[in-house]
Coordinates of all heavy atoms in Angstrom, one line a residue:
M57 N 86.7 95.4 72.0 CA 86.8 94.9 73.4 C 85.5 94.3 73.8 O 84.4 94.8 73.5 CB 87.1 96.1 74.3 CG 87.2 95.8 75.7 SD 87.6 97.1 76.8 CE 89.3 97.4 76.5
T58 N 85.6 93.1 74.4 CA 84.4 92.4 74.7 C 83.7 93.0 75.9 O 84.3 93.7 76.7 CB 84.7 90.9 75.0 OG1 85.5 90.8 76.2 CG2 85.4 90.2 73.8
R59 N 82.5 92.6 76.1 CA 81.7 93.1 77.2 C 82.3 92.7 78.6 O 82.4 93.5 79.5 CB 80.3 92.5 77.1 CG 79.4 93.0 78.3 CD 78.1 92.3 78.2 NE 77.1 93.3 77.5 CZ 75.9 93.0 77.4 NH1 75.3 91.9 77.7 NH2 75.1 93.9 76.8
Q60 N 82.8 91.4 78.6 CA 83.4 91.0 79.9 C 84.7 91.8 80.2 O 84.9 92.1 81.4 CB 83.7 89.5 79.8 CG 84.3 89.0 81.1 CD 84.5 87.5 81.2 OE1 84.2 86.8 80.2 NE2 85.1 87.0 82.3
N61 N 85.5 92.1 79.2 CA 86.7 92.9 79.4 C 86.4 94.2 79.9 O 87.0 94.8 80.8 CB 87.5 93.0 78.2 CG 88.2 91.6 77.8 OD1 88.3 90.8 78.6 ND2 88.6 91.5 76.6
R62 N 85.3 94.9 79.4 CA 84.9 96.2 79.9 C 84.4 96.1 81.3 O 84.8 97.0 82.1 CB 83.8 96.8 79.0 CG 84.4 97.3 77.6 CD 83.3 97.9 76.8 NE 82.7 96.7 76.2 CZ 81.5 96.8 75.6 NH1 80.8 97.9 75.6 NH2 81.0 95.7 75.0
V63 N 83.6 95.1 81.6 CA 83.1 95.0 83.0 C 84.3 94.7 83.9 O 84.4 95.3 85.1 CB 82.1 93.9 83.1 CG1 81.7 93.6 84.5 CG2 80.8 94.3 82.2
T64 N 85.3 93.9 83.5 CA 86.4 93.6 84.3 C 87.2 94.9 84.6 O 87.6 95.1 85.8 CB 87.3 92.6 83.7 OG1 86.6 91.4 83.5 CG2 88.6 92.3 84.5
L65 N 87.4 95.7 83.6 CA 88.2 96.9 83.8 C 87.5 97.9 84.7 O 88.1 98.6 85.5 CB 88.4 97.6 82.4 CG 89.5 97.0 81.6 CD1 89.5 97.7 80.2 CD2 90.9 97.1 82.2
L66 N 86.2 97.9 84.7 CA 85.4 98.8 85.5 C 85.4 98.3 87.0 O 85.4 99.2 87.9 CB 84.0 98.9 85.1 CG 83.7 99.7 83.8 CD1 82.3 99.6 83.3 CD2 84.1 101.2 84.0
L67 N 85.4 97.0 87.2 CA 85.3 96.5 88.5 C 86.7 96.2 89.2 O 86.8 95.9 90.4 CB 84.5 95.2 88.5 CG 83.0 95.4 88.2 CD1 82.3 94.0 88.2 CD2 82.3 96.3 89.2
Y68 N 87.8 96.2 88.4 CA 89.1 95.8 88.9 C 89.5 96.7 90.1 O 90.0 96.1 91.1 CB 90.1 95.9 87.8 CG 91.5 95.6 88.4 CD1 91.9 94.3 88.8 CD2 92.5 96.6 88.5 CE1 93.1 94.0 89.3 CE2 93.7 96.3 89.0 CZ 94.0 95.0 89.4 OH 95.3 94.8 89.9
P69 N 89.3 98.0 90.2 CA 89.8 98.7 91.4 C 89.1 98.2 92.6 O 89.7 98.2 93.7 CB 89.4 100.2 91.1 CG 89.4 100.3 89.6 CD 88.9 98.9 89.1
F70 N 87.8 97.9 92.5 CA 87.1 97.4 93.7 C 87.5 96.0 94.1 O 87.7 95.7 95.2 CB 85.6 97.4 93.4 CG 85.0 98.8 93.1 CD1 84.7 99.1 91.7 CD2 84.9 99.7 94.0 CE1 84.2 100.3 91.4 CE2 84.4 101.0 93.7 CZ 84.1 101.3 92.4
G71 N 87.8 95.1 93.1 CA 88.3 93.8 93.3 C 89.6 93.8 93.9 O 89.9 93.0 94.9
A72 N 90.5 94.6 93.4 CA 91.9 94.7 94.0 C 91.9 95.3 95.4 O 92.6 94.8 96.3 CB 92.8 95.6 93.1
G73 N 91.0 96.2 95.6 CA 90.9 96.8 97.0 C 90.4 95.8 98.0 O 90.9 95.6 99.1
A74 N 89.3 95.1 97.6 CA 88.8 94.0 98.4 C 89.8 92.9 98.7 O 89.9 92.4 99.8 CB 87.5 93.5 97.8
A75 N 90.5 92.5 97.7 CA 91.5 91.5 97.9 C 92.6 91.9 98.8 O 93.1 91.2 99.7 CB 92.1 91.1 96.5
A76 N 93.0 93.2 98.7 CA 94.1 93.7 99.6 C 93.6 93.8 101.1 O 94.3 93.4 102.0 CB 94.5 95.1 99.2
V77 N 92.4 94.2 101.3 CA 91.8 94.3 102.6 C 91.7 92.9 103.2 O 92.1 92.6 104.4 CB 90.5 95.0 102.6 CG1 89.7 94.8 104.0 CG2 90.7 96.5 102.3
N78 N 91.2 91.9 102.4 CA 91.0 90.6 102.9 C 92.3 89.9 103.2 O 92.5 89.2 104.2 CB 90.2 89.7 101.9 CG 88.7 90.1 101.9 OD1 88.2 90.5 102.9 ND2 88.1 90.0 100.7
L79 N 93.3 90.2 102.4 CA 94.7 89.6 102.6 C 95.3 90.2 103.9 O 95.8 89.4 104.7 CB 95.6 90.0 101.4 CG 96.9 89.3 101.3 CD1 96.7 87.8 101.2 CD2 97.6 89.8 100.0
F80 N 95.1 91.5 104.1 CA 95.6 92.1 105.3 C 94.9 91.5 106.6 O 95.6 91.1 107.6 CB 95.5 93.6 105.3 CG 96.0 94.3 106.5 CD1 97.4 94.3 106.7 CD2 95.2 94.8 107.5 CE1 97.9 95.0 107.8 CE2 95.7 95.5 108.6 CZ 97.1 95.5 108.8
F81 N 93.6 91.4 106.5 CA 92.9 90.9 107.7 C 93.1 89.4 107.9 O 93.2 88.9 109.0 CB 91.4 91.1 107.6 CG 91.0 92.6 107.9 CD1 90.3 93.3 107.0 CD2 91.4 93.1 109.1 CE1 89.9 94.6 107.3 CE2 91.1 94.4 109.4 CZ 90.3 95.2 108.5
A82 N 93.4 88.7 106.8 CA 93.7 87.2 107.0 C 95.1 87.1 107.7 O 95.3 86.3 108.5 CB 93.8 86.6 105.6
S83 N 96.0 88.0 107.4 CA 97.3 88.0 108.0 C 97.2 88.4 109.5 O 97.9 87.9 110.4 CB 98.3 88.9 107.3 OG 98.1 90.3 107.6
L84 N 96.2 89.3 109.8 CA 96.0 89.6 111.2 C 95.4 88.4 112.0 O 95.8 88.1 113.1 CB 95.0 90.8 111.3 CG 95.5 92.2 111.0 CD1 94.4 93.2 111.1 CD2 96.7 92.5 111.9
I85 N 94.5 87.7 111.4 CA 94.0 86.5 112.0 C 95.1 85.4 112.2 O 95.2 84.8 113.2 CB 92.8 85.9 111.2 CG1 91.6 86.9 111.3 CG2 92.4 84.6 111.7 CD1 90.4 86.6 110.4
L86 N 95.9 85.2 111.1 CA 96.9 84.2 111.2 C 98.0 84.6 112.2 O 98.8 83.8 112.7 CB 97.6 84.0 109.9 CG 96.7 83.3 108.9 CD1 97.3 83.2 107.5 CD2 96.3 81.9 109.4
S87 N 98.1 85.9 112.6 CA 99.1 86.3 113.6 C 98.8 85.7 114.9 O 99.7 85.5 115.8 CB 99.1 87.9 113.7 OG 98.0 88.3 114.4
W88 N 97.6 85.3 115.2 CA 97.3 84.6 116.4 C 98.0 83.2 116.5 O 98.2 82.7 117.5 CB 95.8 84.4 116.6 CG 95.0 85.7 116.7 CD1 95.5 86.9 117.0 CD2 93.6 85.8 116.4 NE1 94.4 87.8 116.9 CE2 93.3 87.2 116.6 CE3 92.6 84.9 116.1 CZ2 92.0 87.7 116.5 CZ3 91.3 85.5 115.9 CH2 91.0 86.8 116.1
A89 N 98.3 82.7 115.3 CA 99.0 81.4 115.2 C 100.5 81.6 115.1 O 101.2 80.6 114.8 CB 98.5 80.6 114.0
G90 N 101.0 82.8 115.2 CA 102.4 83.0 115.2 C 102.9 83.5 113.8 O 104.1 83.7 113.7
V91 N 102.1 83.6 112.8 CA 102.5 84.1 111.5 C 102.7 85.6 111.6 O 101.8 86.3 112.1 CB 101.5 83.7 110.4 CG1 101.9 84.2 109.1 CG2 101.3 82.2 110.4
P92 N 103.7 86.1 111.0 CA 103.9 87.6 111.0 C 102.8 88.3 110.2 O 102.4 87.8 109.2 CB 105.3 87.9 110.4 CG 105.6 86.6 109.7 CD 104.9 85.5 110.3
V93 N 102.5 89.5 110.7 CA 101.4 90.3 110.0 C 102.1 90.9 108.8 O 103.2 91.4 108.8 CB 100.9 91.4 110.9 CG1 99.9 92.3 110.2 CG2 100.3 90.8 112.2
L94 N 101.3 90.9 107.6 CA 101.8 91.5 106.4 C 101.8 93.0 106.6 O 100.8 93.6 107.1 CB 100.9 91.2 105.2 CG 101.0 89.8 104.6 CD1 100.0 89.6 103.5 CD2 102.4 89.7 103.9
P95 N 102.8 93.7 106.1 CA 102.7 95.2 106.1 C 101.6 95.6 105.0 O 101.4 94.9 104.1 CB 104.1 95.6 105.6 CG 105.0 94.4 105.8 CD 104.1 93.2 105.7
P96 N 101.0 96.8 105.3 CA 100.0 97.2 104.4 C 100.4 97.3 102.9 O 99.6 97.0 102.0 CB 99.6 98.6 104.9 CG 99.9 98.5 106.4 CD 101.1 97.6 106.4
A97 N 101.7 97.7 102.7 CA 102.1 97.8 101.3 C 102.2 96.5 100.6 O 101.8 96.3 99.4 CB 103.5 98.5 101.3
W98 N 102.6 95.4 101.3 CA 102.6 94.1 100.8 C 101.2 93.6 100.5 O 100.9 92.9 99.5 CB 103.3 93.1 101.7 CG 104.8 93.3 101.6 CD1 105.6 94.1 102.4 CD2 105.7 92.6 100.7 NE1 106.9 93.9 102.0 CE2 107.0 93.0 101.0 CE3 105.5 91.6 99.7 CZ2 108.1 92.6 100.3 CZ3 106.6 91.2 99.0 CH2 107.9 91.7 99.3
S99 N 100.3 94.0 101.4 CA 98.9 93.6 101.2 C 98.3 94.2 99.9 O 97.5 93.6 99.2 CB 98.0 94.0 102.4 OG 98.5 93.3 103.6
V100 N 98.7 95.5 99.7 CA 98.2 96.2 98.5 C 98.8 95.5 97.3 O 98.0 95.3 96.3 CB 98.6 97.7 98.6 CG1 98.3 98.4 97.2 CG2 97.8 98.4 99.6
L101 N 100.0 95.2 97.3 CA 100.6 94.5 96.1 C 100.0 93.1 95.9 O 99.7 92.7 94.8 CB 102.1 94.3 96.3 CG 103.0 95.6 96.2 CD1 104.4 95.3 96.6 CD2 102.9 96.2 94.8
G102 N 99.7 92.4 97.0 CA 99.1 91.1 96.9 C 97.6 91.3 96.3 O 97.2 90.5 95.6
G103 N 97.0 92.4 96.8 CA 95.6 92.6 96.3 C 95.6 93.0 94.8 O 94.7 92.6 94.1
L104 N 96.6 93.7 94.3 CA 96.7 94.0 92.9 C 96.9 92.7 92.1 O 96.3 92.6 91.0 CB 97.9 94.9 92.6 CG 97.7 96.3 93.1 CD1 99.0 97.1 92.9 CD2 96.6 97.0 92.5
V105 N 97.6 91.7 92.6 CA 97.8 90.5 91.9 C 96.6 89.6 92.0 O 96.1 89.0 91.0 CB 99.1 89.7 92.5 CG1 99.2 88.4 91.9 CG2 100.3 90.6 92.2
L106 N 96.1 89.4 93.2 CA 95.0 88.5 93.5 C 93.6 89.1 93.0 O 92.7 88.3 92.8 CB 94.9 88.1 94.9 CG 96.0 87.3 95.5 CD1 95.8 87.1 97.0 CD2 96.1 86.0 94.8
G107 N 93.6 90.4 92.9 CA 92.3 91.0 92.5 C 92.0 90.8 91.0 O 90.8 90.8 90.7
L108 N 92.9 90.6 90.2 CA 92.6 90.4 88.7 C 91.8 89.1 88.5 O 90.8 89.1 87.9 CB 93.9 90.4 87.9 CG 93.7 90.4 86.4 CD1 92.8 91.5 85.9 CD2 95.0 90.4 85.7
P109 N 92.3 87.9 88.9 CA 91.5 86.7 88.7 C 90.2 86.7 89.4 O 89.2 86.2 88.8 CB 92.4 85.6 89.2 CG 93.5 86.1 89.9 CD 93.6 87.6 89.6
A110 N 90.1 87.3 90.6 CA 88.9 87.4 91.3 C 87.9 88.3 90.6 O 86.7 87.9 90.4 CB 89.1 87.9 92.7
T111 N 88.3 89.4 90.1 CA 87.5 90.3 89.3 C 87.1 89.7 88.0 O 85.9 89.9 87.6 CB 88.2 91.6 89.1 OG1 88.6 92.2 90.4 CG2 87.3 92.6 88.4
R112 N 87.9 89.0 87.4 CA 87.6 88.3 86.1 C 86.5 87.3 86.3 O 85.6 87.2 85.5 CB 88.9 87.6 85.6 CG 88.7 87.0 84.2 CD 88.9 88.1 83.2 NE 88.8 87.4 81.9 CZ 88.4 88.0 80.8 NH1 88.0 89.2 80.8 NH2 88.3 87.4 79.7
L113 N 86.6 86.5 87.4 CA 85.5 85.5 87.6 C 84.2 86.2 88.0 O 83.1 85.8 87.5 CB 85.9 84.6 88.8 CG 87.0 83.6 88.5 CD1 87.4 82.9 89.8 CD2 86.5 82.6 87.6
F114 N 84.2 87.3 88.8 CA 83.0 88.0 89.1 C 82.4 88.7 87.9 O 81.2 88.7 87.7 CB 83.3 89.0 90.2 CG 82.1 89.8 90.7 CD1 81.2 89.1 91.4 CD2 82.0 91.1 90.5 CE1 80.0 89.8 91.9 CE2 80.8 91.8 90.9 CZ 79.9 91.1 91.6
S115 N 83.3 89.3 87.0 CA 82.7 89.9 85.8 C 82.1 88.9 84.9 O 81.1 89.2 84.2 CB 83.8 90.7 85.1 OG 84.8 89.9 84.6
A116 N 82.6 87.7 84.8 CA 82.0 86.7 84.0 C 80.6 86.4 84.5 O 79.6 86.2 83.8 CB 82.8 85.4 84.0
H117 N 80.4 86.3 85.9 CA 79.1 86.1 86.5 C 78.2 87.2 86.2 O 77.0 87.0 85.8 CB 79.3 85.9 88.0 CG 78.0 85.8 88.7 ND1 77.2 84.8 88.6 CD2 77.5 86.7 89.6 CE1 76.1 85.0 89.4 NE2 76.3 86.1 90.0
I118 N 78.7 88.5 86.3 CA 77.8 89.6 86.0 C 77.4 89.7 84.5 O 76.2 89.9 84.2 CB 78.6 90.9 86.3 CG1 78.8 91.0 87.8 CG2 77.8 92.2 85.9 CD1 77.6 91.0 88.7
V119 N 78.3 89.3 83.6 CA 77.9 89.3 82.2 C 76.9 88.2 81.9 O 76.0 88.5 81.1 CB 79.2 89.1 81.3 CG1 78.9 88.8 79.9 CG2 80.1 90.4 81.4
R120 N 77.0 87.1 82.6 CA 76.0 86.0 82.4 C 74.7 86.5 82.9 O 73.6 86.2 82.2 CB 76.4 84.7 83.1 CG 77.4 83.9 82.4 CD 77.5 82.5 83.0 NE 77.9 82.5 84.4 CZ 79.2 82.5 84.8 NH1 80.1 82.5 83.9 NH2 79.5 82.5 86.1
L121 N 74.6 87.2 84.0 CA 73.4 87.7 84.5 C 72.8 88.8 83.6 O 71.6 88.8 83.3 CB 73.6 88.4 85.9 CG 73.8 87.4 87.0 CD1 74.1 88.2 88.3 CD2 72.7 86.4 87.2
M122 N 73.7 89.6 83.0 CA 73.2 90.6 82.0 C 72.6 90.0 80.8 O 71.5 90.4 80.3 CB 74.4 91.6 81.7 CG 74.8 92.5 82.8 SD 76.4 93.3 82.5 CE 76.1 94.2 81.0
E123 N 73.3 89.0 80.3 CA 72.8 88.3 79.1 C 71.5 87.5 79.4 O 70.6 87.5 78.6 CB 73.8 87.3 78.6 CG 75.0 88.0 78.0 CD 76.2 87.1 77.7 OE1 76.1 85.9 78.0 OE2 77.1 87.6 77.0
Q124 N 71.3 87.0 80.6 CA 70.1 86.3 81.0 C 69.0 87.3 81.1 O 67.8 87.1 80.6 CB 70.3 85.6 82.3 CG 69.0 84.9 82.8 CD 69.3 84.3 84.2 OE1 70.3 84.4 84.8 NE2 68.3 83.6 84.7
A125 N 69.2 88.5 81.6 CA 68.2 89.5 81.7 C 67.8 90.1 80.3 O 66.6 90.3 80.1 CB 68.7 90.7 82.6
E126 N 68.8 90.2 79.5 CA 68.5 90.7 78.1 C 67.6 89.7 77.3 O 66.8 90.0 76.5 CB 69.7 91.0 77.3 CG 70.4 92.2 77.8 CD 71.8 92.4 77.2 OE1 72.3 91.5 76.5 OE2 72.4 93.5 77.4
S127 N 67.8 88.4 77.6 CA 67.1 87.4 76.8 C 65.7 87.2 77.3 O 64.8 86.8 76.6 CB 67.8 86.0 77.0 OG 67.7 85.5 78.3
Q128 N 65.4 87.7 78.6 CA 64.0 87.7 79.1 C 63.2 88.9 78.7 O 62.0 88.9 78.9 CB 64.1 87.6 80.6 CG 64.6 86.3 81.1 CD 64.7 86.2 82.6 OE1 64.4 87.2 83.3 NE2 65.2 85.1 83.1
V129 N 63.8 89.8 78.1 CA 63.1 91.1 77.7 C 62.4 90.8 76.4 O 62.7 90.2 75.5 CB 64.0 92.3 77.6 CG1 63.3 93.5 77.0 CG2 64.5 92.6 79.0

């Protein structure tokens, strides 16, 4: 298993949770424009789906920073 995959697995619960919260709050803001508010369960499901690519991108950034720090030692 690569370093990025391990970092992704460790950070995925946080990424999925953040995506779910952001999706729910975005639906609350859009409710001012007449869009219906997402139920929390739908926000959680959306967070599980949207959290994976977001976490993958963030873990790639973290791995690059780790490699940069290791090369400076």
Side-chain angles (χ1 to χ4, degrees):
M57 182 179 283
T58 66
R59 178 184 263 183
Q60 184 177 356
N61 288 341
R62 284 182 279 163
V63 173
T64 301
L65 286 174
L66 288 172
L67 294 178
Y68 177 69
F70 300 104
V77 168
N78 286 328
L79 191 59
F80 182 71
F81 282 127
S83 76
L84 287 177
I85 291 171
L86 290 174
S87 71
W88 298 341
V91 178
V93 176
L94 279 176
W98 282 90
S99 297
V100 169
L101 289 174
L104 291 173
V105 172
L106 294 175
L108 186 59
T111 305
R112 186 82 175 149
L113 288 171
F114 184 67
S115 68
H117 174 67
I118 295 298
V119 168
R120 277 193 304 273
L121 290 176
M122 290 167 56
E123 291 170 352
Q124 181 183 4
E126 288 173 350
S127 69
Q128 292 178 358
V129 173

